[in-house]
Amino acid sequence: LYLISYIFFVFDSPGIPYKQLTVGVPKEIFQNERRVALSPAGVQALIKQGFNVVVESGAGEPSKFPDEQYTQAGAAIKDVKDVLASDLLVKVRAPTFNPALGIHEVDLMKDASTLVSFIYPAQNPELMDVLSKKKTTVLAMDQVPRVTIAQGYDALSSMANIAG
């Protein structure tokens, strides 16, 4: 739910109506990653606000969210290329090379899209450079200040609480 609030915050300004924006939820390909960026409840909240949501087939399986739950929440199930071409991409892990496709996930992203993820920009300058060349707006969830006013967006603490 923190991510959903963040999405509303970022896009809550005059400009493109939500109904014209697609939020993509790809399957995480990092080895042993079991999380997914949005649960079916999160998808339902975005759909309620008017966003279009596409989820990669099998994205929620490691987190025990089958595709059927996403479709019941209003999402469309698509392949990885369609999902990565979304206006707004939400991921747990930073984009990386996809060995199954033989291409980096960034290469499949739409130009001038928005990425919300754990990026660790200081540790990934090459990735930041590639994203910059694609004119991607990056919201690094790991860089959200850990102060009271930003507590609702503090994904690091929420992950630590779940892990504990």
Side-chain angles (χ1 to χ4, degrees), residues 37-60:
L38 280 177
S39 67
V43 167
Q44 191 172 32
L46 289 174
I47 297 287
K48 186 177 179 181
Q49 291 296 317
F51 287 96
N52 299 301
V53 180
V54 294
V55 177
E56 183 180 348
S57 180

Side-chain angles (χ1 to χ4, degrees), residues 37-151:
L38 280 177
S39 67
V43 167
Q44 191 172 32
L46 289 174
I47 297 287
K48 186 177 179 181
Q49 291 296 317
F51 287 96
N52 299 301
V53 180
V54 294
V55 177
E56 183 180 348
S57 180
E61 294 292 336
S63 298
K64 308 295 185 212
F65 298 124
D67 289 347
E68 297 77 36
Q69 288 184 7
Y70 286 104
T71 55
Q72 289 171 358
I77 303 299
K78 300 279 186 167
D79 70 13
V80 64
K81 292 180 181 179
D82 288 332
V83 172
L84 290 173
S86 299
D87 301 303
L88 175 88
L89 189 63
V90 292
K91 286 183 56 53
V92 175
R93 299 280 186 151
T96 189
F97 181 79
N98 186 322
L101 297 176
I103 192 167
H104 200 285
E105 289 177 313
V106 173
D107 294 329
L108 297 172
M109 290 172 56
K110 181 179 180 178
D111 286 347
S113 62
T114 299
L115 171 65
V116 179
S117 182
F118 289 96
I119 293 287
Y120 301 96
Q123 296 155 351
N124 292 305
E126 300 86 14
L127 176 61
M128 295 306 294
D129 187 49
V130 172
L131 290 165
S132 174
K133 288 177 181 169
K134 286 196 76 91
K135 300 188 184 318
T136 304
T137 299
V138 178
L139 303 171
M141 294 303 294
D142 49 278
Q143 295 297 303
V144 173
R146 299 181 93 181
V147 296
T148 304
I149 196 164
Q151 204 167 28

